[in-house]
């Protein structure tokens, strides 16, 4: 089973940047997609971005497109989320996820979820 460990959350000012990391272990070739979701207090978990390990193809939520960049390091089995031009509405717990298909919803049957990392953006 895939195990995911996130790191890199914290506090940033509006307009600032943060980078999240998600290290995957136990991954097989069938788990081709990795991505990020976020959940703010009182809200549903929402899709942020995903990437394919094999092709590098990416998909972003409209709310983060052109501000966030997802990338992967196949050698170290690590996925990154570079967040720039942060806004207070980006404040949430960010979760890494691994799946077999091109997911864009938290209802997709993921192989694994990370434990989450808090991102707080102050105005």
């Amino acid at each position: 089973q895939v195990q995911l460990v996130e790191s890199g959350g914290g506090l940033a000012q509006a307009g600032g940047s943060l980078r999240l990391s998600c290290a995957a272990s136990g991954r097989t070739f069938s788990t081709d997609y990795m991505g990020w979701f976020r959940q703010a207090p009182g809200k549903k978990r929402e899709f942020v971005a995903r990437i394919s390990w094999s092709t590098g193809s990416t998909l972003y939520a409209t709310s983060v497109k052109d501000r966030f960049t997802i990338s992967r390091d196949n050698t170290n089995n690590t996925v990154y989320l570079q967040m720039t031009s942060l806004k207070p509405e980006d404040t949430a717990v960010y979760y890494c996820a691994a799946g077999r298909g091109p997911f864009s919803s938290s209802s997709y049957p993921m192989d694994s979820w990370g434990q989450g990392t808090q991102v707080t953006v102050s105005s």
Side-chain angles (χ1 to χ4, degrees), residues 79-98:
V79 170
Y80 302 97
L81 185 69
Q82 180 68 49
M83 304 184 292
T84 64
S85 301
L86 284 164
K87 304 175 181 180
E89 51 264 44
D90 293 320
T91 295
V93 177
Y94 283 69
Y95 296 91
C96 181

Side-chain angles (χ1 to χ4, degrees), residues 3-123:
Q3 293 185 326
L4 305 175
V5 178
E6 300 125 330
S7 60
L11 177 65
Q13 291 188 331
S17 301
L18 284 173
R19 189 176 80 156
L20 306 182
S21 300
C22 177
S25 60
R27 185 179 69 89
T28 66
F29 287 111
S30 59
T31 307
D32 191 47
Y33 291 88
M34 292 276 289
W36 293 92
F37 290 77
R38 66 186 182 186
Q39 188 167 18
K43 294 189 176 181
K44 293 182 179 180
R45 189 170 298 189
E46 65 174 2
F47 171 78
V48 175
R50 71 151 196 261
I51 189 166
S52 164
W53 284 109
S54 59
T55 67
S57 64
T58 59
L59 179 71
Y60 296 91
T62 301
S63 60
V64 307
K65 192 174 176 60
D66 298 327
R67 298 189 299 121
F68 292 8
T69 302
I70 189 169
S71 61
R72 91 275 198 220
D73 179 343
N74 290 61
T75 301
N76 294 310
N77 279 325
T78 301
V79 170
Y80 302 97
L81 185 69
Q82 180 68 49
M83 304 184 292
T84 64
S85 301
L86 284 164
K87 304 175 181 180
E89 51 264 44
D90 293 320
T91 295
V93 177
Y94 283 69
Y95 296 91
C96 181
R100 303 188 182 210
F103 55 80
S104 58
S105 167
S106 61
S107 63
Y108 185 90
M110 304 297 177
D111 283 351
S112 185
W113 288 94
Q115 81 283 0
T117 184
Q118 177 71 46
V119 171
T120 303
V121 183
S122 62
S123 58

